[in-house]
Amino acid sequence: MNKLTDLPNIGGKLAELLERAGIETPEQLRNLGSKQAFLMISAVTDCACINKLYAIEGAIQGINKKLLASETKADLLEYFRSLKKL
């Protein structure tokens, strides 16, 4: 897997946002983690939503975002809400 679109949940639009944020490979995405990658996307677009954060985490884990553990989703939602308070 050398392309972001090879990962689950990463379509052309999300891959484009990741690339605009400076994330060009699956390895870079995994090394950064979903929260940092989401923060970087938020810096280049105003359309960064919770579903993108879930999609990124699912991509890192290699699963569909719908299969994320409830604890993981809760943690990501808390993180997302904390960013909105800034």
Side-chain angles (χ1 to χ4, degrees):
M1 280 193 238
N2 294 323
K3 299 186 301 185
L4 290 168
T5 54
D6 291 338
L7 299 172
N9 311 310
I10 307 292
K13 290 183 181 184
L14 184 50
E16 182 181 323
L17 285 176
L18 289 164
E19 289 168 357
R20 281 180 46 204
I23 304 165
E24 299 178 357
T25 67
E27 183 179 4
Q28 285 178 311
L29 182 60
R30 286 186 203 98
N31 289 338
L32 286 168
S34 60
K35 292 176 182 177
Q36 182 62 35
F38 183 79
L39 192 59
M40 292 169 71
I41 286 175
S42 297
V44 298
T45 185
D46 60 353
C47 69
C49 64
I50 187 64
N51 287 319
K52 284 184 177 58
L53 181 55
Y54 290 155
I56 293 166
E57 179 62 29
I60 289 169
Q61 291 188 27
I63 61 173
N64 186 293
K65 66 183 180 182
K66 294 177 183 177
L67 300 176
L68 289 171
S70 57
E71 297 84 11
T72 301
K73 283 186 173 182
D75 177 60
L76 294 173
L77 182 58
E78 183 179 328
Y79 175 74
F80 178 78
R81 288 180 175 160
S82 75
L83 293 177
K84 295 299 175 187
K85 292 178 184 178
L86 298 178

